[in-house]
Amino acid sequence: MEQKNAMNKPAARPAAAAAPKSESKGGGSSSFAVIAILAAFVVSVLIFIFILGDGSHFQGGNHDNNPLAGDYFGVVYKGGPVVPVLMTMFLCVFIFSIERALTISRAKGSKSIETFVRTIRQKLNVNDITGAIATCDQQKGSVANVVRAGLVKYQEMSRERNMEKDQKVLAIQKEIEESTALELPMLEKNLVIISTLASVATLTGLIGTVLGMIKAFSALAQGGAPDAVGLANGISEALINTALGIGTSALAIVAYNFFTSKIDELTYSIDEAGFSIIQTFAAQHGETDHSHPA
């Protein structure tokens, strides 16, 4: 028992040493998210003030007046202070969609996933584990990293002579599962931001709609003749915010579902390759060597 404990202690150290690396990756991703959101807000405010609010889009050169006929910049400006908030959300969806697209593209590797998995299965069928590992090194990406970890464990278990068949198979399966658990969170990073924007954008647009309608009814409630300009501005603010909120939410929903489906494809490819590794090992290297007495 003391020998077993001595053998198990060193194995626990690499996991502890790897923790700061994953924490640094998570910290870097969080920093990127914060910087991206702040940058999107600054850009949105600048566009709202200096481009949409430019006097050339309004009658008399004053943004307090009605926008010129057919000038949509002035119409959007009349959406009020909620517009830059909605623009920030729209830019965030755009930024994080590009970031997720690049990340998932890198996770796939240099070649298509279908070709990679097919090549791995062909190598396994002829028991060419070294060639399969070399294929993973060429492919790169998250899927290749998980498959490579399983193949390395495959080689280790094939040289093991003091373990039962089921123990070897479980060891390979556990290695694949642990590698998958380390890789998949990086693929799902920032998707929660996109899914949150899908809900928040609609609610923010609704807030802008309510504020615009309040302004419109305030113009109607004035004594004497109704303030036509105030009524038009209030209705414009309500409609602009509704359109921006719904449009941003729709884009976020489409992006979230698209990237989720891509991640599911990668997960399926990992499962397929892992199943092939386990089945091949069970068929070719599953027997225990009992030639040495216990």
Side-chain angles (χ1 to χ4, degrees):
M1 293 295 294
E2 293 179 356
Q3 293 178 348
K4 291 183 178 180
N5 292 334
M7 293 175 62
N8 291 334
K9 286 181 180 178
R13 291 176 184 173
K21 188 178 292 184
S22 61
E23 289 177 1
S24 63
K25 287 183 179 179
S29 178
S30 300
S31 300
F32 169 78
V34 173
I35 293 173
I37 293 173
L38 291 177
F41 178 73
V42 172
V43 171
S44 298
V45 171
L46 293 177
I47 292 175
F48 180 77
I49 295 175
F50 295 105
I51 297 180
L52 301 181
D54 187 80
S56 61
H57 304 302
F58 301 91
Q59 297 177 0
N62 187 351
H63 58 72
D64 292 330
N65 298 331
N66 288 334
L68 298 174
D71 194 321
Y72 291 102
F73 281 10
V75 173
V76 173
Y77 180 82
K78 287 301 180 180
V82 182
V83 169
V85 177
L86 291 170
M87 290 174 60
T88 300
M89 294 181 181
F90 176 82
L91 289 177
C92 285
V93 172
F94 186 72
I95 292 172
F96 289 116
S97 295
I98 294 177
E99 185 266 339
R100 284 297 88 194
L102 295 175
T103 300
I104 293 176
S105 177
R106 288 196 300 266
K108 289 182 178 180
S110 58
K111 300 179 182 178
S112 67
I113 292 298
E114 294 79 7
T115 303
F116 170 70
V117 174
R118 191 183 308 112
T119 303
I120 293 297
R121 297 181 69 174
Q122 291 173 353
K123 299 288 186 181
L124 290 173
N125 289 337
V126 297
N127 199 26
D128 184 10
I129 307 303
T130 303
I133 293 177
T135 301
C136 294
D137 293 335
Q138 295 175 356
Q139 177 73 10
K140 300 180 181 179
S142 297
V143 177
N145 290 340
V146 174
V147 176
R148 191 185 192 283
L151 291 172
V152 172
K153 196 68 175 180
Y154 183 110
Q155 286 185 325
E156 180 183 341
M157 290 297 101
S158 65
R159 294 190 294 266
E160 177 63 49
R161 295 292 180 266
N162 298 319
M163 294 177 64
E164 296 293 334
K165 172 182 177 179
D166 292 342
Q167 291 177 325
K168 295 179 180 180
V169 172
L170 287 175
I172 297 174
Q173 184 177 0
K174 182 180 179 182
E175 183 69 21
I176 295 174
E177 290 176 352
E178 290 179 350
S179 299
T180 303
L182 290 175
E183 294 289 343
L184 284 185
M186 297 306 299
L187 299 178
E188 297 174 351
K189 280 281 187 183
N190 297 329
L191 278 183
V192 64
I193 297 178
I194 297 178
S195 64
T196 301
L197 291 174
S199 301
V200 174
T202 304
L203 297 177
T204 305
L206 181 61
I207 292 175
T209 302
V210 172
L211 294 177
M213 296 307 297
I214 290 175
K215 183 183 294 185
F217 282 107
S218 297
L220 286 175
Q222 291 182 359
D227 184 1
V229 175
L231 177 62
N233 289 340
I235 295 176
S236 175
E237 180 176 341
L239 295 178
I240 290 298
N241 288 315
T242 301
L244 286 176
I246 293 176
T248 302
S249 178
L251 180 62
I253 292 173
V254 171
Y256 178 82
N257 290 334
F258 175 78
F259 293 124
T260 301
S261 66
K262 291 299 181 182
I263 293 175
D264 290 341
E265 291 178 6
L266 296 180
T267 305
Y268 175 78
S269 299
I270 291 174
D271 293 341
E272 184 180 1
F275 179 79
S276 298
I277 293 172
I278 294 173
Q279 291 299 311
T280 302
F281 183 89
Q284 299 183 8
H285 300 278
E287 297 300 329
T288 305
D289 187 2
H290 296 288
S291 59
H292 300 284

